[in-house]
Amino acid sequence: MDAVQAANSGHPGMPMGMADVATVLFSDYLKFDPTQPKWADRDRFVLSAGHGSMLIYSLLHLTGYARPTIEDIAHFRQLHSPCAGHPENFELAGVEATTGPLGSGLATAVGMAIAERHLNAQFGDDLVDHRTWVIAGDGCLMEGINHEAIGLAGHLNLGRLIVLWDDNKITIDGAVDLSSSEDVRARYEATGWHVVSCDGHDVADVRRALAEAVADPRPSLVACATKIGYGSPNKAGTSGVHGSALGEAEVAAAREYLGWDAAPFVIPADIAAAWKAIGAKGFQTRCEWEERLRAAPAHIHTEFERRMGGFLPDDFSLEAYIDSLIAAPQKVATRKASELTLGAINDLLPETLGGSADLTGSNNTKTKSTGPLTKDDYSGRYVYYGIREFGMACAMNGMALHGGVIPYGGTFLVFSDYMRAGIRLAALQQQRVIHVLTHDSIGLGEDGPTHQPIEHVMSMRMIPNLDVYRPADIVETAECWELALKDATGPSVLALTRQNLPQLRTQKSENLSAKGAYRLVAAGADRKVVLIATGSEVEIAVDTAKALEEQGIGADVVSMPSWAHFDAQPQSYKDDLLPHHVLRVSIEAGTTFGWERHTGIAGLRFGIDSFGASAPAEALYDHFGLTAAKIAPQIVAALNN
Amino acid sequence: MDAVQAANSGHPGMPMGMADVATVLFSDYLKFDPTQPKWADRDRFVLSAGHGSMLIYSLLHLTGYARPTIEDIAHFRQLHSPCAGHPENFELAGVEATTGPLGSGLATAVGMAIAERHLNAQFGDDLVDHRTWVIAGDGCLMEGINHEAIGLAGHLNLGRLIVLWDDNKITIDGAVDLSSSEDVRARYEATGWHVVSCDGHDVADVRRALAEAVADPRPSLVACATKIGYGSPNKAGTSGVHGSALGEAEVAAAREYLGWDAAPFVIPADIAAAWKAIGAKGFQTRCEWEERLRAAPAHIHTEFERRMGGFLPDDFSLEAYIDSLIAAPQKVATRKASELTLGAINDLLPETLGGSADLTGSNNTKTKSTGPLTKDDYSGRYVYYGIREFGMACAMNGMALHGGVIPYGGTFLVFSDYMRAGIRLAALQQQRVIHVLTHDSIGLGEDGPTHQPIEHVMSMRMIPNLDVYRPADIVETAECWELALKDATGPSVLALTRQNLPQLRTQKSENLSAKGAYRLVAAGADRKVVLIATGSEVEIAVDTAKALEEQGIGADVVSMPSWAHFDAQPQSYKDDLLPHHVLRVSIEAGTTFGWERHTGIAGLRFGIDSFGASAPAEALYDHFGLTAAKIAPQIVAALNN
């Protein structure tokens, strides 16, 4: 309450209400060692109710993590303090996940729990044997993603996942019953969970409940009856204590009520010592675990550390696979190309963990080396996520945060809208999560406008730290997959076609997609035009260039699978590729919004700025004017203007 | 199956599996009159499992709607056929909602059911007394939004909402138990629903179950045990029949199995007659209703038709309110400005139906004339949506589709990601839904990057048919609200600040926001620069212009609350406002991506292309370089280059 008061901003209610429960968790159950926050076999703790960030900052400080210091805490919510408004994994080693967007933390924890069981199946109890703990509030439970997350966890019977529900009966707008009449316990039970309740302010009762949760083979919900803002004599139990500082007078009243004499940011020595002792408990356990790791066969030890470190094998290369493509060109959809690439990748990388939100046969995400991951066999490398896109995205985030696996998952590109908040969290958390998003334009045909992405590719290009790839053929698909795998610091999206595309790259070369854009075809005649295209429209650009060359108009074709990689190139490379003195033309079967960056205002932009339509793909390309026959004359007209 | 076969594309499984259930519904329960598809008191039927579109096309044709004709059906999924891949409300009068994105249809139906009870409370049983029916599949139930939708429906006890669940135990990837182990019935019961089961191929049993559902005062889930692709002797009951044509051989085998002799697209006369009779049943009921409408007091009759027609009152105007702002300028956050505007609007328009996803006090969406809508009093004009952003967005779509109300709802702008699919569906369905999205930039301050929109405003500007407004002060806020209300053909987003902004508009004028962008300040010195800004950054642009003018550099300031409205202006207006021969500079506290459209590549773009940070707003604006003191020198440097 002092940190929130100092900032005059923040959420005192949850930290005060859940302090008793968290104390029991950290004292008696959580396996951790503050001196080695990244110890692989530590329990994972996710504060899904991220607005209560002062709770975890307090716990990390008290138990002896190097950061946050008490000064960090005194600068809660100030620029450059690691004690940000909501907990951020990239700021503090003890923060396992960035939370705040409600429900996403719990869903992320489901992914951590899957990764734990998966690695346990691969490396055994000696090396992988930990739990995942979550503190969640009513908001986390009311969000739709909660249904997806607990459905998946229940189905996979993730018994090492325990959710502590801050059952305080308060939301921001007032009492929970203002907006919900649900029997939460019954809902969790209906989904295969074990449910136990306790008085969140009775330490013995909390301990009993946690013991029951640990003992039960199912995932557990522990309903902790608490009073929000406990200790604040005049505001506890009201929505007024949720998201505002108590005010000086009420802080003083709370000190009085709690019998707390110490000044703000002063921890009495006896209390500091008791917490340090709690923090020291895990040291011995961690040392024993390290002994077991050292005692393991060398190749296991090495492999485990490689996997948990997120390093690809030194000899990982798709060169042989790409050589085989060059040797025998083929016309396939890029979703199929992705499947073929994944066949090679999954054989080389045991850490890939695939899946799809019930579109396996459409996303082409399953390969022969990835058997299903089930509650009876967690060693499988393929998750049937069900019709749970957002849940899948957050679970993948949790897998990546846990470490030891590289998650990828598929759905239709248009449904990136369902999980956009999860994709953004992967980018913010700097996690290697790979989204295989197929059916990436009107080229999917008959399913019509509800299923046809228009703004999706462009709108994801502007999410910071997200790499969006739209490969033009089977070779670019392999190149983009390679780039996605090699970037350990952020997520990637692969936008892939339903329809077949010719192989445009038939010469052996370096990874040209790494530059983001490159000259695929050089003008024959005197260059007047540069055609810039992505994905399935590169073929159309090539045809358009031919039509222009037939009229003596020289046209380069530039394939641009990644805007982000291109933006990172030296200006000289960009100027050479897209010179300002020629007519620059973009062709992409999506919004033209944003293409001014590469064409200039004076250039031409061919795309679709309305919703799509239901018809076979060829009919749609013609209808929306995206054919060489319709584009070339407009370029000629512009040149003659 | 013939239409899917002819298209060689589509989903035969659901229409064949649910044909029996739908027959009972349309024969014995659904209140409709094909000769007046828009009859206000008709039952609403939503095919949430929209991939099964051939089911509704068949039903509409058989019961006598003018469209689709049998020729339309024979052209299923072809360009210009109203029988699109998924049902579209703008193509066929009998399609109440555009569906396909799973789960959204059911959530939309919840909004329809709310609108029905709300209008019933306002206009009485004589005029408003109908049900909302839904056919949903496992996908609709597994999606996260299902939790939000049924939670809201259960809480509001929407007893006139009945969901027919196609319980066929199949998803695309295979059996449902591949990805789910949930007890669906128990989950619905936990959420306050009545649940009844039936054999979906036993007409008498379906009839019994529907009768029970109608009789129960709670919202009902009718679990219909069906066989997907019923009638296909070799493929029924498998995922293979879900999303592909049966193939000629299996179509022939199904004909044999079902004893169906007629050729494709030929309806035997006796069957056609029987269905026409079903379609004719509602005629009398509709005539009686019209008599009641005519018998109502004239002002009720007129008002009811105005409301259902979606027309604002002829005398609706915010002029007096805006005059009062001009008379007494004030510095307020635009979220607060929105609340003040809403105060005026809600007094003038009884059809507004507001709400918030548990951020009422932050979104400032509640005004004194909007009391809560509860299960005990549906006449209230404010919905406490709970922490259910996506559910709120879809419910609002349903309200707008139902007609008679204008829904608006609030959450933080960053959480538009949670409901983006719902916002897109409002745009696609051409519905007047108004999203009040506050805390629209780093200006929200300490909550940090999880809560700070960066790409959100720009990424919504590219959704077709969505108007995104970012007003700069209290006057523009009122203007943007007026534009949003007057556009009956699409949704609007109002991006509003948490922080206070000075009133920049102090002269009486027409609605300048209607032009999308306008010259707020004309250069004093010789014009060298045009500063373009939106929302809270217009104040910064004004300060920057002052700094430049002090150095003798003339600078216009253009406020651009709406890109879409500006794009619609004549080229001459655009060229006058943003001439190409001067340095154009954009200032917006979000991604710079896309601003090249207005600045040209040679212009300058000030914004934020990374994630935000946690600190007080002023510190963040300085940190990210968005102050006049930091911007002006860079403009001077660019001019001197």
Side-chain angles (χ1 to χ4, degrees):
Chain A
M1 72 183 178
D2 288 326
V4 174
Q5 188 61 41
N8 195 24
S9 166
H11 301 74
M14 196 283 260
M16 296 171 79
M18 282 295 278
D20 291 328
V21 172
T23 300
V24 174
L25 173 62
F26 273 64
S27 304
D28 298 344
Y29 289 93
L30 195 73
K31 180 168 77 169
F32 69 109
D33 177 359
T35 68
Q36 287 289 344
K38 293 299 179 193
W39 168 26
D41 199 33
R42 71 190 181 279
D43 282 2
R44 305 304 196 269
F45 169 66
V46 175
L47 189 76
S48 189
H51 51 274
S53 55
M54 264 318 304
L55 180 62
I56 189 166
Y57 300 149
S58 303
L59 291 162
L60 295 179
H61 175 70
L62 289 169
T63 54
Y65 284 79
R67 303 288 291 268
T69 63
I70 198 74
E71 290 73 29
D72 292 334
I73 289 176
H75 289 88
F76 177 54
R77 294 183 156 233
Q78 305 309 304
L79 202 59
H80 307 308
S81 169
C83 296
H86 293 78
E88 295 165 354
N89 67 305
F90 48 90
E91 288 286 356
L92 289 170
V95 172
E96 302 284 1
T98 297
T99 52
L102 292 176
S104 64
L106 198 161
T108 301
V110 170
M112 293 178 178
I114 293 173
E116 190 272 343
R117 280 297 88 188
H118 178 66
L119 292 166
N120 172 274
Q122 295 190 334
F123 289 97
D125 289 344
D126 273 1
L127 299 187
V128 184
D129 184 21
H130 54 269
R131 296 183 192 283
T132 304
W133 303 86
V134 177
I135 286 182
D138 287 295
C140 294
L141 270 53
M142 216 184 289
E143 289 283 2
I145 190 170
N146 187 256
H147 171 50
E148 300 186 14
I150 73 169
L152 187 58
H155 179 66
L156 294 176
N157 198 33
L158 301 172
R160 290 167 161 263
L161 174 64
I162 301 177
V163 174
L164 313 179
W165 167 32
D166 180 15
D167 181 16
N168 61 25
K169 302 189 167 45
I170 292 291
T171 73
I172 292 174
D173 275 358
V176 168
D177 65 10
L178 196 64
S179 60
S180 179
S181 306
E182 172 187 280
D183 180 342
V184 170
R185 291 165 181 77
R187 177 167 68 89
Y188 270 69
E189 284 168 350
T191 315
W193 283 57
H194 162 245
V195 178
V196 56
S197 300
C198 68
D199 176 345
H201 297 299
D202 176 338
V203 165
D205 201 41
V206 173
R207 204 173 277 134
R208 172 199 57 78
L210 293 191
E212 282 185 33
V214 165
D216 198 278
R218 294 166 293 174
S220 289
L221 177 75
V222 182
C224 308
T226 64
K227 189 172 245 191
I228 190 170
Y230 179 86
S232 163
N234 302 303
K235 295 190 172 180
T238 74
S239 59
V241 78
H242 166 84
S244 306
L246 295 180
E248 296 292 353
E250 186 66 7
V251 166
R255 273 196 155 66
E256 177 85 17
Y257 179 88
L258 294 166
W260 184 261
D261 297 330
F265 310 115
V266 173
I267 317 292
D270 56 334
I271 288 173
W275 273 104
K276 278 277 153 53
I278 290 168
K281 279 182 173 184
F283 179 82
Q284 184 63 27
T285 312
R286 198 255 302 165
C287 290
E288 288 163 11
W289 177 87
E290 286 188 349
E291 274 173 33
R292 291 197 299 276
L293 179 62
R294 270 192 294 272
H299 71 282
I300 300 285
H301 184 158
T302 308
E303 179 68 357
F304 184 79
E305 294 202 317
R306 180 188 76 74
R307 294 272 302 265
M308 292 305 298
F311 306 109
L312 300 181
D314 289 337
D315 59 353
F316 172 73
S317 168
L318 292 177
E319 191 177 350
Y321 166 70
I322 294 178
D323 284 350
S324 76
L325 302 177
I326 299 295
Q330 53 193 306
K331 180 172 185 169
V332 294
T334 48
R335 63 172 173 151
K336 180 66 181 175
S338 172
E339 180 185 352
L340 295 170
T341 309
L342 269 172
I345 290 167
N346 288 341
D347 287 347
L348 295 170
L349 300 181
E351 59 263 49
T352 55
L353 186 48
S356 166
D358 198 46
L359 287 168
T360 295
S362 298
N363 302 142
N364 299 57
T365 33
K366 195 165 183 311
T367 69
K368 66 178 180 344
S369 54
T370 55
L373 184 154
T374 68
K375 70 174 164 25
D376 301 315
D377 180 6
Y378 292 112
S379 73
R381 291 171 56 196
Y382 195 82
V383 179
Y384 286 103
Y385 283 105
I387 301 131
R388 305 181 178 107
E389 297 82 7
F390 193 9
M392 175 176 72
C394 286
M396 291 201 292
N397 292 353
M399 293 171 182
L401 286 161
H402 180 281
V405 297
I406 299 176
Y408 71 86
T411 186
F412 288 157
L413 175 58
V414 80
F415 298 134
S416 61
D417 279 354
Y418 273 58
M419 57 181 183
R420 194 171 164 96
I423 296 172
R424 186 176 206 260
L425 278 169
L428 178 58
Q429 296 182 96
Q430 304 169 14
Q431 295 303 305
R432 178 168 46 191
V433 171
I434 303 173
H435 288 276
V436 181
L437 302 179
T438 70
H439 296 60
D440 72 345
S441 76
I442 55 163
L444 66 84
E446 294 89 343
D447 273 347
T450 55
H451 283 55
Q452 290 163 354
I454 295 293
E455 70 280 14
H456 299 76
V457 166
M458 194 65 82
S459 77
M460 282 195 284
R461 286 180 180 136
M462 61 180 67
I463 296 179
N465 198 36
L466 173 65
D467 278 328
V468 178
Y469 298 101
R470 191 161 185 259
D473 75 350
I474 190 169
V475 174
E476 277 194 13
T477 303
E479 289 177 342
C480 292
W481 257 111
E482 185 178 46
L483 295 170
L485 288 167
K486 288 188 170 172
D487 179 6
T489 65
S492 298
V493 159
L494 295 163
L496 304 171
T497 68
R498 176 179 186 240
Q499 73 272 33
N500 287 339
L501 301 179
Q503 184 169 329
L504 300 170
R505 291 272 300 284
T506 51
Q507 302 296 315
K508 188 172 166 72
S509 71
E510 60 182 333
N511 185 327
L512 296 175
S513 299
K515 289 193 159 37
Y518 62 91
R519 190 173 292 122
L520 176 70
V521 180
D526 188 28
R527 184 176 64 181
K528 293 283 182 5
V529 178
V530 174
L531 300 165
I532 317 160
T534 76
S536 41
E537 286 69 67
V538 177
E539 177 187 11
I540 296 169
V542 170
D543 290 345
T544 304
K546 281 182 195 149
L548 294 171
E549 296 277 357
E550 281 168 13
Q551 300 177 56
I553 300 168
D556 281 359
V557 175
V558 169
S559 179
M560 190 180 278
S562 161
W563 281 40
H565 282 263
F566 181 63
D567 281 349
Q569 299 308 308
Q571 191 62 42
S572 56
Y573 180 81
K574 295 193 218 179
D575 290 343
D576 175 70
L577 202 64
L578 305 181
H580 285 207
H581 63 280
V582 300
L583 180 66
R584 284 156 292 155
V585 178
S586 66
I587 312 176
E588 185 171 67
T591 184
T592 62
F593 197 113
W595 271 108
E596 290 89 352
R597 172 170 296 184
H598 299 303
T599 66
I601 293 175
L604 299 180
R605 290 163 293 281
F606 293 93
I608 309 169
D609 291 316
S610 64
F611 289 107
S614 173
E618 304 72 32
L620 290 174
Y621 271 89
D622 185 65
H623 177 70
F624 287 105
L626 295 177
T627 63
K630 292 195 167 170
I631 291 170
Q634 294 178 69
I635 293 173
V636 174
L639 288 171
N640 292 339
N641 247 352
Chain B
M1 72 185 177
D2 289 326
V4 175
Q5 189 61 40
N8 194 26
S9 166
H11 302 74
M14 196 283 259
M16 296 171 79
M18 282 295 280
D20 290 329
V21 173
T23 300
V24 174
L25 172 63
F26 274 65
S27 304
D28 297 344
Y29 289 93
L30 195 74
K31 180 167 79 169
F32 68 109
D33 178 358
T35 68
Q36 287 290 343
K38 294 299 178 192
W39 168 27
D41 200 33
R42 71 193 181 279
D43 282 1
R44 305 305 197 266
F45 169 67
V46 176
L47 190 74
S48 188
H51 52 274
S53 55
M54 266 315 305
L55 180 63
I56 190 166
Y57 300 148
S58 304
L59 291 162
L60 296 179
H61 174 70
L62 289 168
T63 54
Y65 284 80
R67 302 288 291 268
T69 64
I70 198 74
E71 290 72 28
D72 292 333
I73 288 176
H75 289 88
F76 177 53
R77 292 184 159 234
Q78 306 308 304
L79 203 58
H80 307 309
S81 170
C83 296
H86 293 78
E88 294 165 354
N89 67 305
F90 48 90
E91 288 287 356
L92 290 169
V95 172
E96 302 284 0
T98 297
T99 52
L102 293 174
S104 63
L106 198 160
T108 300
V110 170
M112 294 177 178
I114 294 172
E116 191 272 343
R117 281 296 88 188
H118 178 67
L119 291 167
N120 172 274
Q122 296 189 334
F123 290 97
D125 288 344
D126 274 0
L127 297 187
V128 184
D129 183 21
H130 54 271
R131 296 182 191 282
T132 304
W133 303 84
V134 177
I135 287 183
D138 287 295
C140 293
L141 271 53
M142 217 184 288
E143 289 283 3
I145 189 169
N146 187 255
H147 171 51
E148 299 185 14
I150 72 169
L152 187 60
H155 178 67
L156 293 176
N157 198 32
L158 301 173
R160 289 166 163 264
L161 174 64
I162 301 178
V163 175
L164 312 179
W165 167 32
D166 180 14
D167 181 16
N168 61 26
K169 302 188 167 43
I170 291 292
T171 74
I172 291 174
D173 275 358
V176 167
D177 64 12
L178 196 64
S179 59
S180 179
S181 306
E182 173 186 279
D183 180 343
V184 170
R185 291 166 180 79
R187 177 167 68 88
Y188 269 71
E189 284 167 350
T191 316
W193 283 58
H194 163 246
V195 178
V196 57
S197 301
C198 68
D199 175 346
H201 299 298
D202 177 337
V203 165
D205 202 38
V206 173
R207 202 172 279 132
R208 172 198 56 79
L210 294 190
E212 283 185 30
V214 165
D216 198 278
R218 294 165 293 175
S220 288
L221 176 74
V222 183
C224 309
T226 65
K227 190 173 244 190
I228 188 170
Y230 179 85
S232 164
N234 303 302
K235 295 191 172 179
T238 74
S239 58
V241 78
H242 165 82
S244 306
L246 294 180
E248 296 291 356
E250 186 66 8
V251 166
R255 275 196 153 67
E256 177 83 20
Y257 179 91
L258 294 166
W260 184 262
D261 297 330
F265 311 115
V266 173
I267 317 291
D270 56 334
I271 289 174
W275 274 104
K276 278 277 153 53
I278 289 168
K281 280 182 170 184
F283 179 83
Q284 185 62 30
T285 311
R286 197 255 304 165
C287 292
E288 289 163 12
W289 177 87
E290 288 188 348
E291 276 174 31
R292 293 198 297 276
L293 178 63
R294 271 192 293 271
H299 71 282
I300 300 285
H301 185 160
T302 308
E303 178 69 356
F304 184 79
E305 294 202 318
R306 181 189 75 75
R307 294 273 301 264
M308 291 305 297
F311 306 108
L312 300 181
D314 289 337
D315 59 354
F316 172 72
S317 166
L318 291 178
E319 192 177 349
Y321 167 69
I322 294 177
D323 283 350
S324 76
L325 302 178
I326 299 295
Q330 53 193 307
K331 180 171 184 170
V332 294
T334 48
R335 62 172 172 153
K336 180 66 181 175
S338 172
E339 179 185 351
L340 295 170
T341 309
L342 270 172
I345 290 168
N346 288 340
D347 287 347
L348 295 170
L349 300 180
E351 59 263 48
T352 54
L353 185 49
S356 166
D358 197 45
L359 287 168
T360 295
S362 298
N363 302 142
N364 298 57
T365 34
K366 195 166 183 310
T367 69
K368 66 177 180 342
S369 53
T370 55
L373 184 155
T374 69
K375 70 175 164 27
D376 302 315
D377 180 6
Y378 293 111
S379 73
R381 290 171 58 196
Y382 195 82
V383 180
Y384 286 102
Y385 283 104
I387 302 131
R388 305 181 178 106
E389 296 83 6
F390 193 10
M392 174 176 74
C394 287
M396 290 201 293
N397 293 352
M399 292 171 183
L401 285 161
H402 182 281
V405 297
I406 299 177
Y408 70 86
T411 184
F412 288 158
L413 175 58
V414 80
F415 299 134
S416 61
D417 279 353
Y418 274 58
M419 58 180 182
R420 192 170 165 97
I423 296 172
R424 188 177 205 259
L425 279 168
L428 178 59
Q429 297 182 97
Q430 303 167 15
Q431 295 305 304
R432 178 169 45 192
V433 171
I434 303 174
H435 288 276
V436 180
L437 302 180
T438 68
H439 296 61
D440 73 345
S441 76
I442 54 163
L444 65 85
E446 294 89 343
D447 272 347
T450 55
H451 283 56
Q452 289 163 355
I454 296 293
E455 70 279 14
H456 300 77
V457 166
M458 193 65 82
S459 77
M460 283 195 285
R461 286 180 180 136
M462 60 180 68
I463 296 178
N465 197 37
L466 174 65
D467 278 328
V468 177
Y469 298 100
R470 192 162 186 259
D473 74 351
I474 191 169
V475 175
E476 277 195 12
T477 303
E479 290 177 342
C480 293
W481 257 111
E482 184 177 48
L483 295 170
L485 287 167
K486 288 188 171 172
D487 179 6
T489 65
S492 297
V493 159
L494 295 163
L496 305 172
T497 67
R498 174 180 188 240
Q499 73 271 31
N500 287 339
L501 301 179
Q503 183 168 328
L504 300 170
R505 291 272 301 284
T506 51
Q507 301 298 316
K508 187 172 167 71
S509 72
E510 59 181 335
N511 185 327
L512 295 176
S513 299
K515 288 191 158 38
Y518 63 93
R519 191 174 291 120
L520 177 70
V521 179
D526 188 27
R527 182 175 64 179
K528 293 283 185 0
V529 178
V530 175
L531 300 165
I532 317 159
T534 76
S536 40
E537 286 70 67
V538 177
E539 175 187 11
I540 296 169
V542 170
D543 291 343
T544 303
K546 281 183 196 148
L548 293 171
E549 297 277 357
E550 282 168 13
Q551 301 178 54
I553 300 167
D556 281 0
V557 176
V558 169
S559 179
M560 190 181 277
S562 161
W563 281 39
H565 282 263
F566 180 63
D567 282 349
Q569 299 308 309
Q571 192 61 43
S572 57
Y573 180 80
K574 294 193 219 181
D575 290 343
D576 175 69
L577 201 63
L578 305 180
H580 284 209
H581 63 280
V582 300
L583 180 67
R584 284 156 291 155
V585 177
S586 66
I587 311 176
E588 185 171 67
T591 185
T592 62
F593 197 114
W595 271 107
E596 290 89 352
R597 172 169 295 184
H598 299 303
T599 65
I601 294 175
L604 299 180
R605 291 164 291 282
F606 293 92
I608 308 170
D609 291 316
S610 63
F611 289 108
S614 173
E618 304 73 30
L620 290 174
Y621 270 89
D622 184 66
H623 177 70
F624 286 105
L626 296 177
T627 63
K630 291 195 167 172
I631 291 171
Q634 295 178 68
I635 293 173
V636 174
L639 289 170
N640 292 338
N641 248 352

